[in-house]
PDB file of all heavy atoms in Angstrom:
ATOM      1  N   ALA A  30     -55.614 -23.688 -88.125  1.00 69.00           N
ATOM      2  CA  ALA A  30     -56.174 -24.944 -88.515  1.00 69.00           C
ATOM      3  C   ALA A  30     -55.996 -26.033 -87.377  1.00 69.00           C
ATOM      4  O   ALA A  30     -56.848 -26.925 -87.220  1.00 69.00           O
ATOM      5  CB  ALA A  30     -55.574 -25.525 -89.787  1.00 69.00           C
ATOM      6  N   LYS A  31     -54.907 -25.870 -86.617  1.00 69.00           N
ATOM      7  CA  LYS A  31     -54.718 -26.818 -85.490  1.00 69.00           C
ATOM      8  C   LYS A  31     -54.114 -26.005 -84.383  1.00 69.00           C
ATOM      9  O   LYS A  31     -53.584 -24.880 -84.566  1.00 69.00           O
ATOM     10  CB  LYS A  31     -53.818 -27.953 -85.930  1.00 69.00           C
ATOM     11  CG  LYS A  31     -52.517 -27.525 -86.539  1.00 69.00           C
ATOM     12  CD  LYS A  31     -51.726 -28.716 -87.028  1.00 69.00           C
ATOM     13  CE  LYS A  31     -50.518 -28.224 -87.847  1.00 69.00           C
ATOM     14  NZ  LYS A  31     -49.808 -29.320 -88.438  1.00 69.00           N
ATOM     15  N   PRO A  32     -54.212 -26.468 -83.102  1.00 66.00           N
ATOM     16  CA  PRO A  32     -53.700 -25.706 -81.997  1.00 66.00           C
ATOM     17  C   PRO A  32     -52.192 -25.438 -82.147  1.00 66.00           C
ATOM     18  O   PRO A  32     -51.430 -26.139 -82.832  1.00 66.00           O
ATOM     19  CB  PRO A  32     -53.952 -26.665 -80.831  1.00 66.00           C
ATOM     20  CG  PRO A  32     -54.904 -27.601 -81.250  1.00 66.00           C
ATOM     21  CD  PRO A  32     -54.793 -27.688 -82.719  1.00 66.00           C
ATOM     22  N   ALA A  33     -51.754 -24.419 -81.422  1.00 62.00           N
ATOM     23  CA  ALA A  33     -50.303 -24.002 -81.460  1.00 62.00           C
ATOM     24  C   ALA A  33     -49.419 -25.121 -80.882  1.00 62.00           C
ATOM     25  O   ALA A  33     -49.857 -25.905 -80.027  1.00 62.00           O
ATOM     26  CB  ALA A  33     -50.124 -22.739 -80.681  1.00 62.00           C
ATOM     27  N   ALA A  34     -48.276 -25.174 -81.369  1.00 58.00           N
ATOM     28  CA  ALA A  34     -47.309 -26.201 -80.935  1.00 58.00           C
ATOM     29  C   ALA A  34     -46.855 -25.905 -79.501  1.00 58.00           C
ATOM     30  O   ALA A  34     -46.864 -24.771 -79.054  1.00 58.00           O
ATOM     31  CB  ALA A  34     -46.148 -26.294 -81.854  1.00 58.00           C
ATOM     32  N   VAL A  35     -46.364 -26.895 -78.819  1.00 67.00           N
ATOM     33  CA  VAL A  35     -45.804 -26.718 -77.447  1.00 67.00           C
ATOM     34  C   VAL A  35     -44.407 -26.187 -77.612  1.00 67.00           C
ATOM     35  O   VAL A  35     -43.810 -26.402 -78.630  1.00 67.00           O
ATOM     36  CB  VAL A  35     -45.816 -28.122 -76.798  1.00 67.00           C
ATOM     37  CG1 VAL A  35     -45.187 -28.042 -75.356  1.00 67.00           C
ATOM     38  CG2 VAL A  35     -47.184 -28.733 -76.695  1.00 67.00           C
ATOM     39  N   SER A  36     -43.988 -25.489 -76.568  1.00 66.00           N
ATOM     40  CA  SER A  36     -42.665 -24.822 -76.622  1.00 66.00           C
ATOM     41  C   SER A  36     -41.581 -25.873 -76.807  1.00 66.00           C
ATOM     42  O   SER A  36     -41.633 -26.975 -76.281  1.00 66.00           O
ATOM     43  CB  SER A  36     -42.409 -24.102 -75.325  1.00 66.00           C
ATOM     44  OG  SER A  36     -41.171 -23.575 -75.375  1.00 66.00           O
ATOM     45  N   GLY A  37     -40.549 -25.500 -77.615  1.00 68.00           N
ATOM     46  CA  GLY A  37     -39.450 -26.448 -77.938  1.00 68.00           C
ATOM     47  C   GLY A  37     -38.405 -26.478 -76.877  1.00 68.00           C
ATOM     48  O   GLY A  37     -38.455 -25.683 -75.821  1.00 68.00           O
ATOM     49  N   PRO A  38     -37.385 -27.303 -76.964  1.00 72.00           N
ATOM     50  CA  PRO A  38     -36.359 -27.426 -75.881  1.00 72.00           C
ATOM     51  C   PRO A  38     -35.250 -26.371 -76.103  1.00 72.00           C
ATOM     52  O   PRO A  38     -35.006 -25.959 -77.229  1.00 72.00           O
ATOM     53  CB  PRO A  38     -35.869 -28.852 -76.113  1.00 72.00           C
ATOM     54  CG  PRO A  38     -36.044 -29.060 -77.553  1.00 72.00           C
ATOM     55  CD  PRO A  38     -37.277 -28.361 -77.964  1.00 72.00           C
ATOM     56  N   GLY A  39     -34.561 -26.086 -75.025  1.00 69.00           N
ATOM     57  CA  GLY A  39     -33.348 -25.239 -75.041  1.00 69.00           C
ATOM     58  C   GLY A  39     -33.569 -23.893 -75.740  1.00 69.00           C
ATOM     59  O   GLY A  39     -34.428 -23.137 -75.424  1.00 69.00           O
ATOM     60  N   ALA A  40     -32.677 -23.655 -76.703  1.00 69.00           N
ATOM     61  CA  ALA A  40     -32.646 -22.365 -77.411  1.00 69.00           C
ATOM     62  C   ALA A  40     -33.931 -22.127 -78.169  1.00 69.00           C
ATOM     63  O   ALA A  40     -34.218 -21.019 -78.517  1.00 69.00           O
ATOM     64  CB  ALA A  40     -31.476 -22.256 -78.321  1.00 69.00           C
ATOM     65  N   LEU A  41     -34.668 -23.165 -78.479  1.00 63.00           N
ATOM     66  CA  LEU A  41     -35.894 -23.024 -79.262  1.00 63.00           C
ATOM     67  C   LEU A  41     -37.141 -22.784 -78.321  1.00 63.00           C
ATOM     68  O   LEU A  41     -38.238 -22.699 -78.811  1.00 63.00           O
ATOM     69  CB  LEU A  41     -36.174 -24.292 -80.103  1.00 63.00           C
ATOM     70  CG  LEU A  41     -35.021 -24.685 -81.067  1.00 63.00           C
ATOM     71  CD1 LEU A  41     -35.316 -26.021 -81.703  1.00 63.00           C
ATOM     72  CD2 LEU A  41     -34.890 -23.584 -82.096  1.00 63.00           C
ATOM     73  N   SER A  42     -36.905 -22.765 -77.080  1.00 65.00           N
ATOM     74  CA  SER A  42     -38.069 -22.617 -76.186  1.00 65.00           C
ATOM     75  C   SER A  42     -38.622 -21.233 -76.161  1.00 65.00           C
ATOM     76  O   SER A  42     -37.918 -20.242 -76.454  1.00 65.00           O
ATOM     77  CB  SER A  42     -37.575 -22.934 -74.710  1.00 65.00           C
ATOM     78  OG  SER A  42     -36.749 -21.979 -74.277  1.00 65.00           O
ATOM     79  N   GLN A  43     -39.951 -21.149 -75.988  1.00 64.00           N
ATOM     80  CA  GLN A  43     -40.669 -19.930 -75.845  1.00 64.00           C
ATOM     81  C   GLN A  43     -41.433 -19.973 -74.582  1.00 64.00           C
ATOM     82  O   GLN A  43     -41.858 -21.009 -74.191  1.00 64.00           O
ATOM     83  CB  GLN A  43     -41.598 -19.705 -77.021  1.00 64.00           C
ATOM     84  CG  GLN A  43     -40.803 -19.590 -78.370  1.00 64.00           C
ATOM     85  CD  GLN A  43     -41.804 -19.458 -79.505  1.00 64.00           C
ATOM     86  OE1 GLN A  43     -43.009 -19.598 -79.316  1.00 64.00           O
ATOM     87  NE2 GLN A  43     -41.305 -19.195 -80.738  1.00 64.00           N
ATOM     88  N   ARG A  44     -41.619 -18.782 -73.955  1.00 57.00           N
ATOM     89  CA  ARG A  44     -42.390 -18.750 -72.728  1.00 57.00           C
ATOM     90  C   ARG A  44     -43.876 -19.144 -73.006  1.00 57.00           C
ATOM     91  O   ARG A  44     -44.463 -18.727 -73.978  1.00 57.00           O
ATOM     92  CB  ARG A  44     -42.347 -17.335 -72.174  1.00 57.00           C
ATOM     93  CG  ARG A  44     -41.038 -16.955 -71.681  1.00 57.00           C
ATOM     94  CD  ARG A  44     -41.020 -15.659 -70.961  1.00 57.00           C
ATOM     95  NE  ARG A  44     -41.819 -15.774 -69.765  1.00 57.00           N
ATOM     96  CZ  ARG A  44     -41.742 -14.912 -68.814  1.00 57.00           C
ATOM     97  NH1 ARG A  44     -41.012 -13.848 -68.879  1.00 57.00           N
ATOM     98  NH2 ARG A  44     -42.473 -15.056 -67.670  1.00 57.00           N
ATOM     99  N   THR A  45     -44.410 -20.029 -72.145  1.00 56.00           N
ATOM    100  CA  THR A  45     -45.757 -20.457 -72.264  1.00 56.00           C
ATOM    101  C   THR A  45     -46.571 -20.053 -71.015  1.00 56.00           C
ATOM    102  O   THR A  45     -47.723 -20.486 -70.854  1.00 56.00           O
ATOM    103  CB  THR A  45     -45.839 -21.983 -72.498  1.00 56.00           C
ATOM    104  OG1 THR A  45     -45.213 -22.601 -71.308  1.00 56.00           O
ATOM    105  CG2 THR A  45     -45.165 -22.350 -73.695  1.00 56.00           C
ATOM    106  N   ASP A  46     -45.968 -19.273 -70.127  1.00 55.00           N
ATOM    107  CA  ASP A  46     -46.666 -18.840 -68.928  1.00 55.00           C
ATOM    108  C   ASP A  46     -47.303 -17.475 -69.086  1.00 55.00           C
ATOM    109  O   ASP A  46     -47.680 -16.849 -68.129  1.00 55.00           O
ATOM    110  CB  ASP A  46     -45.718 -18.866 -67.698  1.00 55.00           C
ATOM    111  CG  ASP A  46     -44.600 -17.795 -67.847  1.00 55.00           C
ATOM    112  OD1 ASP A  46     -44.419 -17.315 -68.933  1.00 55.00           O
ATOM    113  OD2 ASP A  46     -43.943 -17.561 -66.860  1.00 55.00           O
ATOM    114  N   GLY A  47     -47.541 -17.022 -70.319  1.00 55.00           N
ATOM    115  CA  GLY A  47     -48.148 -15.770 -70.539  1.00 55.00           C
ATOM    116  C   GLY A  47     -49.667 -15.811 -70.330  1.00 55.00           C
ATOM    117  O   GLY A  47     -50.212 -16.791 -69.823  1.00 55.00           O
ATOM    118  N   GLN A  48     -50.255 -14.757 -70.607  1.00 58.00           N
ATOM    119  CA  GLN A  48     -51.718 -14.652 -70.457  1.00 58.00           C
ATOM    120  C   GLN A  48     -52.325 -14.036 -71.732  1.00 58.00           C
ATOM    121  O   GLN A  48     -51.647 -13.517 -72.500  1.00 58.00           O
ATOM    122  CB  GLN A  48     -52.018 -13.775 -69.296  1.00 58.00           C
ATOM    123  CG  GLN A  48     -51.443 -12.391 -69.308  1.00 58.00           C
ATOM    124  CD  GLN A  48     -51.510 -11.634 -68.083  1.00 58.00           C
ATOM    125  OE1 GLN A  48     -52.048 -12.153 -67.081  1.00 58.00           O
ATOM    126  NE2 GLN A  48     -50.990 -10.486 -67.999  1.00 58.00           N
ATOM    127  N   PRO A  49     -53.644 -14.221 -71.958  1.00 67.00           N
ATOM    128  CA  PRO A  49     -54.219 -13.613 -73.089  1.00 67.00           C
ATOM    129  C   PRO A  49     -54.134 -12.092 -73.105  1.00 67.00           C
ATOM    130  O   PRO A  49     -54.363 -11.468 -72.090  1.00 67.00           O
ATOM    131  CB  PRO A  49     -55.737 -14.060 -73.084  1.00 67.00           C
ATOM    132  CG  PRO A  49     -55.905 -14.692 -71.757  1.00 67.00           C
ATOM    133  CD  PRO A  49     -54.597 -14.912 -71.148  1.00 67.00           C
ATOM    134  N   VAL A  50     -53.731 -11.557 -74.150  1.00 71.00           N
ATOM    135  CA  VAL A  50     -53.580 -10.065 -74.291  1.00 71.00           C
ATOM    136  C   VAL A  50     -54.884  -9.422 -74.638  1.00 71.00           C
ATOM    137  O   VAL A  50     -55.568  -9.870 -75.584  1.00 71.00           O
ATOM    138  CB  VAL A  50     -52.497  -9.731 -75.343  1.00 71.00           C
ATOM    139  CG1 VAL A  50     -52.336  -8.273 -75.480  1.00 71.00           C
ATOM    140  CG2 VAL A  50     -51.181 -10.318 -74.906  1.00 71.00           C
ATOM    141  N   ARG A  51     -55.329  -8.421 -73.864  1.00 74.00           N
ATOM    142  CA  ARG A  51     -56.520  -7.721 -74.099  1.00 74.00           C
ATOM    143  C   ARG A  51     -56.189  -6.335 -74.519  1.00 74.00           C
ATOM    144  O   ARG A  51     -55.494  -5.618 -73.789  1.00 74.00           O
ATOM    145  CB  ARG A  51     -57.413  -7.826 -72.914  1.00 74.00           C
ATOM    146  CG  ARG A  51     -57.935  -9.198 -72.641  1.00 74.00           C
ATOM    147  CD  ARG A  51     -58.844  -9.286 -71.468  1.00 74.00           C
ATOM    148  NE  ARG A  51     -59.484 -10.466 -71.314  1.00 74.00           N
ATOM    149  CZ  ARG A  51     -58.916 -11.533 -70.751  1.00 74.00           C
ATOM    150  NH1 ARG A  51     -57.651 -11.599 -70.434  1.00 74.00           N
ATOM    151  NH2 ARG A  51     -59.563 -12.698 -70.628  1.00 74.00           N
ATOM    152  N   ASP A  52     -56.735  -5.867 -75.616  1.00 76.00           N
ATOM    153  CA  ASP A  52     -56.486  -4.516 -76.080  1.00 76.00           C
ATOM    154  C   ASP A  52     -57.502  -3.512 -75.381  1.00 76.00           C
ATOM    155  O   ASP A  52     -58.625  -3.882 -75.187  1.00 76.00           O
ATOM    156  CB  ASP A  52     -56.714  -4.401 -77.619  1.00 76.00           C
ATOM    157  CG  ASP A  52     -55.575  -5.105 -78.364  1.00 76.00           C
ATOM    158  OD1 ASP A  52     -54.463  -5.018 -77.868  1.00 76.00           O
ATOM    159  OD2 ASP A  52     -55.883  -5.684 -79.394  1.00 76.00           O
ATOM    160  N   ILE A  53     -56.897  -2.382 -74.991  1.00 75.00           N
ATOM    161  CA  ILE A  53     -57.753  -1.448 -74.371  1.00 75.00           C
ATOM    162  C   ILE A  53     -58.116  -0.332 -75.314  1.00 75.00           C
ATOM    163  O   ILE A  53     -57.438  -0.093 -76.340  1.00 75.00           O
ATOM    164  CB  ILE A  53     -57.110  -0.740 -73.126  1.00 75.00           C
ATOM    165  CG1 ILE A  53     -55.780  -0.104 -73.588  1.00 75.00           C
ATOM    166  CG2 ILE A  53     -56.792  -1.737 -72.026  1.00 75.00           C
ATOM    167  CD1 ILE A  53     -55.147   0.793 -72.508  1.00 75.00           C
TER     168      ILE A  53
END
């Protein structure tokens, strides 16, 4: 319904430098 949240600080952080995953 709304865009994904931005990565949180510290231990709550998640990588945001990924790329779209394409299935083969």
Side-chain angles (χ1 to χ4, degrees):
K31 54 186 172 185
V35 179
S36 178
L41 303 174
S42 68
Q43 295 178 353
R44 293 186 67 163
T45 59
D46 62 346
Q48 55 192 358
V50 176
R51 292 182 172 78
D52 290 324
I53 59 169

